[in-house]
Amino acid sequence: AACAMLTCIGAQLSSQALPLLIEALQDQSGVVRKAAAEAVGLLGTGHSSEAEALAGLLVDTNPQVRAAAAEALGRLGVGRITSAAPALLLCLGDLDMDTRTAAVKSLNQIGGHRSMSMVPTLAECLEHGPPRARTAAAQALGQLGHHAAPVLSALVARLGHSHSEVRAAAAEALGHMGSVAVSTVPALAMRVADVDSVVRAAAVEALANLKETAITAVPFLVQTLKHQGLAAATR
């Protein structure tokens, strides 16, 4: 409650409130740490100490605290979370889905040339990480659009991953890459016949996002319908 009240005070008193909030990030109570992280994200002034303190919570034993810290880093802004990028990247493999999602969102806040500098690390995670990390890496790469072109082949390879969530994330990412992904249309079209409905939907959406470039998928889609015994659907 106290952390919430400090947040309501507003930016005018943030210089007085922030030292107390940063101290509260180390409180024994997970509820307090979570609330303090949220407040720091809202009142942050740009001091490196804020990002460092929040980054320290990315390995907290409480998943709600980790997620709050990851989200707060994104709220601090582009320049301030760049230094926390390595810790956020590690969160792509977090067991907690909310933490992974918050980490992806915060990493995407970096934007522009800073995001491009993260492509090799995301590619490594996509290639060798556990399924949940590969999924989050694919999502982050998708947000980079055509800037993720260097990992095009790796994303296509993940369309055949044994875990459906990885396949779906790879398809979604390719759908966000625009004309640079035209060569992946046949591979995406094959996923329209995937055994998993989420993957099928992701592939269809990706092809729709690619718009006119997806015209090359028509023969593959027709062939897929024939194999499924659904040729009547093309009438």
Side-chain angles (χ1 to χ4, degrees), residues 31-206:
V31 174
V32 173
R33 295 196 302 277
K34 176 179 179 291
E38 293 170 345
V40 172
L42 292 172
L43 297 177
T45 61
H47 293 298
S48 59
S49 59
E50 299 162 10
E52 292 172 1
L54 287 170
L57 290 184
L58 295 177
V59 293
D60 196 277
T61 56
N62 187 319
Q64 293 184 339
V65 175
R66 297 197 300 273
E71 184 175 353
L73 283 166
R75 289 179 176 174
L76 282 181
V78 172
R80 299 165 213 169
I81 65 171
T82 302
S83 61
L88 284 168
L89 285 168
L90 290 176
C91 286
L92 296 182
D94 198 282
L95 291 171
D96 179 63
M97 183 180 68
D98 290 338
T99 300
R100 297 196 302 273
T101 301
V104 168
K105 289 174 61 177
S106 292
L107 285 168
N108 290 335
Q109 294 297 319
I110 294 177
H113 66 281
R114 293 187 180 89
S115 288
M116 293 178 65
S117 69
M118 288 163 34
V119 169
T121 304
L122 289 172
E124 177 71 16
C125 192
L126 183 69
E127 292 267 14
H128 304 295
R132 60 181 179 276
R134 294 186 187 210
T135 299
Q139 292 171 340
L141 288 165
Q143 293 298 320
L144 301 183
H146 68 277
H147 294 299
V151 297
L152 199 65
S153 60
L155 285 168
V156 171
R158 299 292 84 72
L159 290 175
H161 196 273
S162 59
H163 284 73
S164 60
E165 64 269 23
V166 177
R167 299 198 300 276
E172 291 172 5
L174 291 169
H176 290 302
M177 295 177 66
S179 59
V180 300
V182 63
S183 64
T184 72
V185 167
L188 283 169
M190 294 293 290
R191 287 301 105 196
V192 174
D194 195 278
V195 296
D196 186 88
S197 61
V198 176
V199 178
R200 294 197 297 271
V204 169
E205 183 176 354

